[in-house]
Amino acid sequence: MSDSATLGYPHRHLLGIEGLLPPAITHLLDLADGYVDLNRGIDKKKSSLRGRTQVNLFFESSTRTSTSFELAGKRLGADVINMAVARSSVSKGETLLDTAMTLNAMHPDVLVVRHQDSGAVHLLSQKVGCAVINAGDGAHEHPTQALLDALTIRRRRGRLDGQVVAICGDILHSRVARSNIHLLNTMGAQVRVIGPPTLMPRNIDELGVEVHHDMRKGLRNVDIVMMLRLQMERMQGAYVPSLREYFHLYGLDQEKLALAKPDALIMHPGPMNRGVEIDSTVADDINRSVIREQVEMGVAVRMACLDALTRNLPNIGAAS
């Protein structure tokens, strides 16, 4: 039995990658690896969460993440409830904590939460009796996205340590970037962040990354190019002169990609803005782009997270 299997995932919640130790991350990735095989088979169902209730509570719109969590829960046999916040009591003025206490009274086993404010999911986790998974909070963290990115890289390259990863674009507003920085540094990869000064958080270098504002220099000899969406909806004012100039300087095209290693992988968490942060010929490169594979890994990773957290819940004997 591997060390990760022996140690398992020793936490009640999954609120972020920061603070997780390598064995816990490896345990989740190992579990997810097994679920990839299950998902590619004919019978995709398991009963490990039978009797468990999973509530997906998304305060921000989402397609791939919410669908991925719903599919993950159903494949493990959970009763999955998707709360439409726009039609809930939240739209009538109910506070986040009142919503949490209301849901808590219904005895869910897992609450999957996305919220527009950083720290909101952590606050909610302190008020409920069930396990909580952060599906993205403000510009803070998106832990399952970082895990699925790591699983994609590990399955392609066989390892995470020693990989040189360039995270490019709107670092300032990206919870994906933060979770990936924490995970990749923890697992021994080298991380570069590339973007214009206006989209780079102050003191980002304190997270242990190499900072570049010239994409052509930052991409030299990297193993992985991870593009980020330009999050216009979070911008108050002009952060870039124009989308055309942004693409010229920071959009990934064949010319810039040629500076990375010849077999460098191309990643994007989606949804993509083609012609803004990435060119279609690069995004659709069947030899180097793993963007669709990331989506597939997302379901497996979320199954692993649900599995790991529910193993830590009381009355585990009730679920088999």
Side-chain angles (χ1 to χ4, degrees), residues 23-174:
I25 293 171
T26 302
H27 176 70
L28 293 175
L29 297 180
D30 290 346
L31 260 181
D33 236 339
Y35 284 126
V36 173
D37 295 335
L38 178 79
N39 290 338
R40 289 179 177 177
I42 296 173
D43 183 3
K44 301 175 177 61
K45 294 279 284 186
K46 288 196 72 174
S47 59
S48 48
L49 265 65
R50 188 175 61 202
R52 300 292 192 187
T53 303
Q54 171 191 336
V55 178
N56 297 331
L57 183 59
F58 279 64
F59 292 85
E60 282 187 324
S61 60
S62 166
T63 302
R64 70 190 65 213
T65 303
S66 62
T67 304
S68 186
F69 268 111
E70 180 179 358
L71 195 55
K74 288 180 174 176
R75 285 188 176 168
L76 293 175
D79 297 317
V80 181
I81 298 168
N82 297 308
M83 273 197 64
V85 172
R87 297 195 299 271
S88 73
S89 295
V90 174
S91 65
K92 301 172 185 172
E94 187 174 74
T95 67
L96 172 66
L97 293 183
D98 283 339
T99 300
M101 297 312 294
T102 300
L103 291 173
N104 198 46
M106 299 177 191
H107 303 291
D109 297 291
V110 184
L111 206 51
V112 179
V113 186
R114 169 170 287 192
H115 199 280
Q116 63 273 17
D117 294 331
S118 301
V121 182
H122 182 266
L123 178 64
L124 187 147
S125 73
Q126 297 174 324
K127 306 295 181 183
V128 297
C130 61
V132 175
I133 297 177
N134 182 0
D137 64 324
H140 176 226
E141 281 228 38
H142 192 346
T144 57
Q145 179 68 46
L147 287 164
L148 75 87
D149 290 341
L151 182 62
T152 305
I153 296 170
R154 198 180 75 164
R155 286 176 64 91
R156 283 290 187 129
R157 293 293 159 83
R159 59 193 303 168
L160 293 169
D161 61 297
Q163 297 292 308
V164 181
V165 182
I167 304 176
C168 314
D170 185 357
I171 310 292
L172 180 65
H173 300 101
S174 178

Side-chain angles (χ1 to χ4, degrees), residues 170 199 229-233 235 237-252 256 273-278:
D170 185 357
L199 293 176
R229 184 173 66 86
L230 197 58
Q231 300 190 39
M232 305 293 288
E233 74 278 12
M235 297 182 186
Y239 285 75
V240 294
S242 69
L243 295 182
R244 185 174 182 178
E245 184 166 340
Y246 179 81
F247 180 73
H248 175 67
L249 294 173
Y250 296 102
L252 186 65
K256 298 189 192 78
N273 293 313
R274 292 172 185 262
V276 176
E277 64 255 359
I278 191 166

